[in-house]
Amino acid sequence: MEIVIVDSPEEAANIAADAIERVLATSPRPVLGLATGSSPLPTYRELIERHRRGQLSLATASAFLLDEYVGLPADHPEAYRTFIRRHFTDQVDLPPTALFGPDGASDDLAGAAASYERQIAASGGIDLQLLGIGSDGHIGFNEPTSSLGSRTRIKTLTDATRADNARFFADDTDAVPRHVITQGIATILEARHLVLIATGASKAAPIALTIEGPLTAMVPASALQLHPHVTVIIDEPAAAALTLTDYYREAYGHKPGWQRH
Ligand code: F6R
């Protein structure tokens, strides 16, 4: 696991955008995995800027969301498909038909989850998956005790996650849906490169448990320890509870040129 400690969310965004730009430049049919929430927003802003400057294109790319709320109308502003279009994909040249997400409005949610797995597989798999982390250690919406072998399915959000996300629903926790469809942990681990962004003091505890704690379903993000190519980009407040920070800085500061990105 590569740990990159940065001075600001903007620096984190630049590093994540560099990794995405490399995928876009090197793959004829790049497949991106997109997270929603606050953490990736500076990265999306940076990618939009680079697109406007003519530095990158998503014309041949496809993009898959990590998760979706159950029961929100498709045009609800906080439905994740609407959110990602507003904050990212409508502002770049990704073809609208190349944006995929679980169908949280389906009458057959189990069928929608299974069909989402098939869509990801049919794309050839995700080249780079962006991730955020919940204050309880979730990735996607795989809450604590989620099976480390889980696939895309329906999950129930914890009260803590609903309270965290109330800021997107006019601070009304009751307005945050209880249920979601989320890529499973095993689904996420199939992406070829995982890039986790975490900024701010509220992420210090889950980040320390993810990187330096035991592998456990109580901290779903600790499953990243099983993946051979993970980049964790964190600012100083999010890095505050780590013990091996000097080592992480040393390793990143002297990263040899031959080492893959
Ligand atoms: C969003 C997602 C979640 C968020 C996490 C952190 O698609 O899957 O795991 O990444 O809840 O959210 P923020 O970035 O808002 O702190």
Side-chain angles (χ1 to χ4, degrees), residues 34-40 66-67 80 131-134 138-141 165 167-168 203:
L34 303 179
T36 50
S38 304
S39 306
L66 267 176
D67 38 27
Y80 278 164
L131 296 169
I133 185 170
H138 69 226
I139 47 172
F141 273 139
N165 286 7
R167 68 191 193 280
F168 296 113
K203 303 297 169 74

Side-chain angles (χ1 to χ4, degrees), residues 61-73:
S62 51
F64 287 84
L65 292 176
L66 267 176
D67 38 27
E68 183 57 274
Y69 290 115
V70 165
L72 291 187

